[in-house]
Amino acid sequence: MKKVLIKNIKYIVTCDEEDRLIPEGFIYIEDGVIKEIGNQVSGTKAEDGLEEIIDGKDMIVYPGLINTHHHLYQYFTRNLPQVQNLELFDWLKTLYEIWKNLDEEVIRYSSLLGMGELIKNGCTTCFDHHYVFPHKTGSRLIDVQFEASEQLGIRFHASRGSMDLSKKDGGLPPDSVVQDIDSILNDSERLVRQYHNKEAGSRKQVALAPCSPFSVSADLLKESAVLARSLGVRLHTHLAETLDEETYTLEKYNMRPLEYMSELGWIGKDVWFAHGIHFNTAELKLLADTGTGIAHCPISNMKLSSGIARIPDMLKLNVPVGLAVDGSASNDGSNLLEEIRVAYLLHRLNSSKAAPSGYDILKLATAGSARVLGRKDIGQLSVGKMADLFMINSNNPELTGADFDPKSMLGTIGIKGNAALTMIGGEIAAKDGRLMTVDEEKTAYMGRQSVYKLMNQY
Ligand SMILES: [Zn+2]
């Protein structure tokens, strides 16, 4: 049994049900699970047989951040001049001409680098929405992502995404990246059976995630929902991201996006949507009543001029909301600490006194995201939860005079460097801005070779 003690912690921000802030704290961990947490004045009995003691002097410890929506493959198509002034539909149509040449190496190195950036900035669980499967590339892309997540030590929720409507059928993507429904469902079932682990402490899960209402057919949406429920896995897609999407479903199906998805079985506790910007009040109530979740992606929504999700209203109604970076090409990064800061400022600007506090936004990225992913074992620091956490060094000169409210600090002040340490399941995954299990220089070099190859085909 591996026993780890973190002691002398300046503050522990637990994000638990009582919103406890523990000064002068300690956390005792056995085999990756928190066994004791508290104030060290009262002391721990767990001093014997310790394998590792971590000094938490000056540190503020937070629960690991949880990312509820991403497209890691986009890590290699950031900051491209030709798409900087575009909104979603034109942005997608332009980028598909590059993405149609994705291969296993692009997926491997973009996953390692994108999730590496997340880990260095306090993220301990990542969901990725991968839906581009070029015909010439084979079917191992999700397997490669799981290999990358294992190498990094991060908890990884993959998705078997999909598209079956290409340009010739009125969709946006080229023919060479869409698949037929049978191939999609067969591979979805294979991946769930091979990787999905629903036990506490799971490091691998799979969701079914057709891309969006405007790139998949009604049949694929309906059959994906039936298959997901028969396999006991979650459902995810993009929804209510743009007004173009609303126009599309109104013209094609005479329904608003949520009504259309609801008709196809896409509503309930096992469903979460990315973005959720253009919902009306009745639709927000429906999300709350059914426990349908939202992945809030403020940076991407600002970058693509998509709009501002009604987060204060969602929180008031108790809609499950998590935080997410969205794809690297509409962010243009992979950093949840940055997302917390931007989310905080965006809603201050838009909602003034009704805006969530810095701590409310931190809770979206931790307990809120855990709820959206259907996990009870992560998202807060308390006895029985996984030892997923990160530390910020309050002694950094730029944080001088900034820790009067440690719970809100990540929103109000924001963290500009990396976390001092990120731990996942009791193992240190990154320290002082360096990943522990991956050679970053070599990975970056290999990544650059993949970028050159990808862009040379464009
Ligand atoms: Zn997305």
Side-chain angles (χ1 to χ4, degrees):
M1 182 185 291
K2 187 177 178 187
K3 298 178 175 183
V4 178
L5 178 67
I6 311 174
K7 61 181 192 177
N8 301 327
I9 301 167
K10 185 172 183 181
Y11 289 110
I12 304 171
V13 177
T14 63
C15 295
D16 67 3
E17 282 81 7
E18 291 88 48
D19 295 313
R20 280 185 307 160
L21 174 72
I22 304 173
E24 295 175 57
F26 75 92
I27 302 173
Y28 170 63
I29 300 156
E30 282 180 6
D31 287 339
V33 179
I34 298 172
K35 291 290 177 186
E36 288 183 44
I37 181 167
N39 180 288
Q40 72 198 5
V41 175
S42 54
T44 170
K45 298 177 202 76
E47 293 278 359
D48 297 337
L50 287 172
E51 191 162 314
E52 195 172 8
I53 300 178
I54 298 169
D55 188 7
K57 186 174 179 297
D58 298 324
M59 296 294 169
I60 305 175
V61 174
Y62 295 91
L65 305 176
I66 300 169
N67 189 35
T68 54
H69 183 71
H70 207 331
H71 311 289
L72 287 159
Y73 74 86
Q74 296 177 2
Y75 208 75
F76 293 168
T77 45
R78 289 181 287 164
N79 193 29
L80 289 173
Q82 60 270 46
V83 296
Q84 294 310 317
N85 202 24
L86 302 180
E87 293 191 18
L88 183 71
F89 278 23
D90 292 329
W91 180 87
L92 281 169
K93 279 189 258 181
T94 310
L95 284 169
Y96 276 131
E97 292 306 312
I98 302 174
W99 297 338
K100 69 185 184 187
N101 293 315
L102 294 180
D103 60 19
E104 284 186 21
E105 296 306 281
V106 169
I107 298 302
R108 182 179 308 283
Y109 294 109
S110 59
S111 296
L112 284 169
L113 291 161
M115 286 196 280
E117 184 180 347
L118 278 166
I119 292 170
K120 289 197 282 185
N121 295 291
C123 176
T124 53
T125 299
C126 178
F127 167 76
D128 190 61
H129 187 183
H130 188 85
Y131 54 83
V132 183
F133 292 86
H135 298 168
K136 61 183 178 184
T137 311
S139 60
R140 283 202 78 256
L141 300 184
I142 306 299
D143 305 73
V144 168
Q145 288 198 294
F146 275 118
E147 287 163 16
S149 71
E150 242 176 68
Q151 213 178 324
L152 290 159
I154 194 169
R155 295 188 205 282
F156 185 54
H157 286 224
S159 66
R160 201 334 175 154
S162 52
M163 298 190 287
D164 71 337
L165 278 187
S166 68
K167 278 182 189 160
K168 68 173 168 33
D169 303 312
L172 298 182
D175 294 347
S176 62
V177 296
V178 303
Q179 298 175 294
D180 64 81
I181 296 184
D182 284 346
S183 315
I184 291 165
L185 296 180
N186 287 338
D187 196 43
S188 300
E189 185 162 355
R190 171 188 76 83
L191 287 162
V192 172
R193 295 203 187 284
Q194 194 169 339
Y195 294 104
H196 186 71
N197 172 10
K198 57 182 189 316
E199 304 298 319
S202 166
R203 284 176 180 268
K204 295 190 178 92
Q205 296 210 359
V206 180
L208 302 195
C211 180
S212 65
F214 49 85
S215 51
V216 308
S217 66
D219 283 346
L220 176 56
L221 286 166
K222 210 190 293 178
E223 292 194 32
S224 295
V226 171
L227 180 64
R229 289 185 176 125
S230 78
L231 295 169
V233 299
R234 299 175 90 74
L235 285 163
H236 177 68
T237 192
H238 296 95
L239 202 72
E241 181 174 3
T242 63
L243 292 172
D244 288 340
E245 174 199 305
E246 196 174 298
T247 306
Y248 179 92
T249 62
L250 280 169
E251 277 176 5
K252 198 156 182 204
Y253 309 108
N254 199 26
M255 284 182 263
R256 289 175 52 78
L258 186 62
E259 186 187 4
Y260 171 63
M261 295 304 286
S262 175
E263 290 277 309
L264 298 170
W266 275 72
I267 199 137
K269 280 192 173 66
D270 56 351
V271 180
W272 86 105
F273 298 123
H275 307 299
I277 296 168
H278 302 285
F279 289 131
N280 59 34
T281 301
E283 290 167 339
L284 292 185
K285 284 185 182 144
L286 181 61
L287 294 173
D289 290 346
T290 54
T292 308
I294 297 297
H296 178 40
C297 311
I299 293 183
S300 170
N301 298 161
M302 292 163 80
K303 164 87 189 267
L304 292 176
S305 309
S306 304
I308 304 175
R310 295 171 59 184
I311 300 301
D313 294 331
M314 290 186 200
L315 295 181
K316 214 184 276 173
L317 290 164
N318 196 25
V319 175
V321 182
L323 199 66
V325 298
D326 197 11
S328 302
S330 62
N331 187 295
D332 285 10
S334 198
N335 182 339
L336 269 174
L337 283 176
E338 187 180 26
E339 205 76 33
I340 289 174
R341 168 87 167 135
V342 171
Y344 169 74
L345 291 173
L346 174 64
H347 295 292
R348 285 290 311 150
L349 174 65
N350 197 45
S351 303
S352 186
K353 285 180 184 165
S357 68
Y359 181 55
D360 292 332
I361 302 286
L362 172 66
K363 287 201 64 162
L364 292 190
T366 52
S369 287
R371 182 180 174 203
V372 164
L373 293 185
R375 300 220 29 174
K376 294 192 165 71
D377 56 338
I378 56 175
Q380 58 169 272
L381 298 174
S382 61
V383 171
K385 305 292 180 192
M386 298 301 121
D388 292 6
L389 54 86
F390 68 100
M391 299 183 184
I392 297 297
N393 187 349
S394 69
N395 212 22
N396 284 342
E398 59 269 29
L399 293 179
T400 308
D403 60 358
F404 294 110
D405 180 2
K407 290 158 95 171
S408 284
M409 190 175 79
L410 307 181
T412 52
I413 306 291
I415 303 301
K416 277 74 183 179
N418 298 129
L421 181 146
T422 304
M423 173 181 276
I424 307 172
E427 304 287 338
I428 298 173
K431 198 176 172 186
D432 300 325
R434 302 289 297 173
L435 297 171
M436 304 301 279
T437 55
V438 168
D439 181 333
E440 292 188 55
E441 281 69 30
K442 193 173 157 200
T443 307
Y445 173 81
M446 296 301 287
R448 277 193 290 276
Q449 307 311 305
S450 293
V451 177
Y452 297 145
K453 195 175 146 206
L454 181 68
M455 297 312 284
N456 278 338
Q457 296 172 78
Y458 173 54

